[in-house]
Amino acid sequence: MAADPTANRIASPPATAHRAPRAVLGTALLGFFLISLDALIVTVALPDIGRSLGVGMSGLQWVVDGYTLMFAALMLSAGALSDRIGAKRALGSGLVLFAVASAACGLAPGLAVLVAARLVQGAAAAVMMPASLALVRQGFPDQAERARAIAIWTVGGAVAVAAGPVVGGALTAWAGWRWIFYVNLPAALLALALLAHVPASRRLPARLDWPGQVTAVLAMGGLTYGVIEGGAEGFEHPGVVASLAVAVVAAVGFPVAQARGAHPMLPLPLFRTRVVAVSLVVGFMLNAAYYGGVFDFSLYLQQERGQTALHAGLMFIPMTALVAVVNLASARLAARYGPRVPMVVGQLVGAAGLLFLLTVGAHTPVWHVAALMVPVGLGGALAVPALTAMLLDAVPADRAGTAGAVLNTARQVGGAIAVAVFGALLAGADTFLAGMRWSVLLAAAGLLAGAGATLTLPRAERAGAPAVT
């Protein structure tokens, strides 16, 4: 990689985040909280948004996937941006943009403006995610301290996951769906205030890969559009066929651009290690199962069972209440047995929970449904911290931003594709319950496949293995 001609002029002192670990961790945790909250807080409000703006299933899917699509599509370039301008500056810029987009979502007069603002929110989240993780990586150079910090950082997302459906339901019931976006503003301001106390991050030479970024956006956008609109208009519709064709061409063009580009945003040698490849598969499957499941059961509880937004949100509490505790337990298990154990167990528990949910019918007691969702949440909470720590330990320190971006891209793509596919199954099935069961079965199969991939890792692959260069 060519040297940055401005490096000598703008380079900051070596990363000093470790001198203020509490400020570093607090800022990164709050940023991750905001990102995770907005991925889920909107889900319980979807029926109210639909009634307020007069939109159907495909429109509601775009409200969810507009965020996750841009989040996933821009994540890789955002990792390079974080490395280039420094994690602190990247996180601060993302927080400001996120707050502005949140205000625009709350003020949106119609679906087009709401989806556009959600796209901007997703772009801001893409900048924030790798920057927050890189800040933790830089701020905790000691491996044991870093593993604990990552577990605590993950708690920020876990708390958001737990709070999202409940807060979304409460705000929608008491103040209206627009307040699920306004609530981001004070949290973003607090994060910016904490960020002011974080030491400057070291900048690294990094170039943006425009051919790779364009093909990534076209591939993800074309696939998401094709699946969502295919469920609504039929997969033989010319626009759907064209979008899927664009996705295929772009998906082929992306690795070609990465292999031939002078400054690829996704270094293909990273995939030569089995740890990285398995991490991406598992991350994809975990998010697909979880976010797709929340999407399906939010609609089930409100549209099929007549629950209010608040009651639907409360039904997710059993599933999410112990997530933060299990996150910390996952870190301890990974430290003792290696990451393979909590990853495999977590995915098997999640798959078992999804298979139990196949028994849910039109008259299943609501409390029974809530209890059956518990293993799905606990399984993901057990697997994700070990997964994250394993990936970061498998790459050099100066690849932390890129590695975090790659993992979270895989996870967000999983969530976006699941919402698109599950929504299409709901729209295309003879009954809502039939579509929901096909979705649940598909999610369970994905987790079982991820567990099988994890078992291919040698037992020696533990947190703390030598970094792969």
Side-chain angles (χ1 to χ4, degrees):
M1 181 179 292
D4 184 346
T6 64
N8 293 332
R9 175 167 53 83
I10 65 172
S12 302
T16 57
H18 60 281
R19 296 199 305 234
R22 292 183 181 178
V24 169
L25 187 55
T27 306
L29 186 149
L30 190 53
F32 189 27
F33 175 87
L34 276 172
I35 294 167
S36 302
L37 184 72
D38 263 62
L40 285 174
I41 194 172
V42 70
T43 309
V44 177
L46 288 177
D48 284 77
I49 293 174
R51 287 189 291 268
S52 173
L53 302 182
V55 299
M57 176 65 76
S58 62
L60 297 180
Q61 287 173 275
W62 277 114
V63 173
V64 178
D65 270 358
Y67 179 84
T68 53
L69 174 62
M70 292 303 288
F71 193 0
L74 300 180
M75 185 78 71
L76 297 176
S77 288
L81 179 66
S82 173
D83 291 340
R84 181 177 177 82
I85 69 175
K88 177 181 177 179
R89 181 173 295 183
L91 182 55
S93 301
L95 282 166
V96 171
L97 185 61
F98 193 89
V100 172
S102 296
C105 286
L107 296 170
L111 178 65
V113 174
L114 177 58
V115 171
R118 288 286 283 171
L119 291 170
V120 176
Q121 261 193 325
V127 174
M128 292 163 61
M129 175 66 86
S132 68
L133 189 54
L135 209 63
V136 173
R137 177 63 178 83
Q138 295 167 12
F140 295 87
D142 179 78
Q143 180 182 306
E145 291 183 357
R146 182 170 67 248
R148 288 192 291 270
I150 290 172
I152 296 172
W153 174 80
T154 307
V155 168
V159 172
V161 167
V166 181
V167 173
L171 288 174
T172 301
W174 296 336
W177 64 264
R178 297 179 186 275
W179 280 90
I180 66 176
F181 300 110
Y182 293 145
V183 75
N184 293 331
L185 302 181
L189 291 175
L190 176 59
L192 287 169
L194 287 173
L195 188 64
H197 299 284
V198 172
S201 302
R202 182 165 62 97
R203 304 181 192 179
L204 299 169
R207 301 288 182 89
L208 295 180
D209 173 20
W210 292 110
Q213 183 60 82
V214 170
T215 52
V217 170
L218 289 175
M220 296 180 198
L223 179 60
T224 304
Y225 180 89
V227 174
I228 290 177
E229 297 304 321
E233 303 291 340
F235 286 92
E236 71 282 356
H237 189 279
V240 173
V241 173
S243 68
L244 293 176
V246 168
V248 171
V249 172
V252 172
F254 178 77
V256 174
Q258 299 308 284
R260 297 182 178 180
H263 307 286
M265 64 182 183
L266 181 59
L268 295 181
L270 282 178
F271 294 98
R272 292 174 184 168
T273 169
R274 188 183 299 175
V275 174
V276 175
V278 170
S279 295
L280 302 187
V281 171
V282 173
F284 180 97
M285 296 304 181
L286 286 169
N287 266 40
Y290 190 86
Y291 285 88
V294 172
F295 176 78
D296 271 6
F297 281 91
S298 292
L299 295 176
Y300 164 78
L301 289 168
Q302 293 181 72
Q303 295 185 354
E304 295 297 304
R305 303 303 302 273
Q307 300 291 308
T308 66
L310 176 59
H311 289 157
L314 293 174
M315 289 301 101
F316 287 99
I317 288 180
M319 180 177 72
T320 59
L322 297 177
V323 166
V325 175
V326 177
N327 277 164
L328 296 176
S330 172
R332 295 190 182 96
L333 286 173
R336 183 169 183 178
Y337 301 108
R340 201 174 77 149
V341 171
M343 287 172 62
V344 170
V345 173
Q347 290 174 91
L348 292 179
V349 168
L354 288 165
L355 293 175
F356 288 142
L357 285 168
L358 290 173
T359 64
V360 170
H363 304 291
T364 303
V366 173
W367 66 266
H368 191 189
V369 178
L372 289 176
M373 289 191 290
V374 170
V376 180
L378 295 186
L382 191 61
V384 169
L387 166 66
T388 306
M390 180 180 72
L391 178 65
L392 287 189
D393 284 336
V395 300
D398 61 359
R399 292 285 192 180
T402 300
V406 171
L407 174 60
N408 286 290
T409 295
R411 294 183 63 192
Q412 295 306 315
V413 170
I417 296 303
V419 169
V421 171
F422 291 7
L425 289 172
L426 293 176
D430 293 335
T431 65
F432 183 96
L433 286 175
M436 187 179 74
R437 285 171 181 148
W438 277 112
S439 300
V440 168
L441 188 59
L442 188 61
L447 288 182
L448 291 174
T454 306
L455 286 173
T456 68
L457 294 176
R459 293 181 182 276
E461 295 286 2
R462 294 171 174 268
V468 177
T469 58

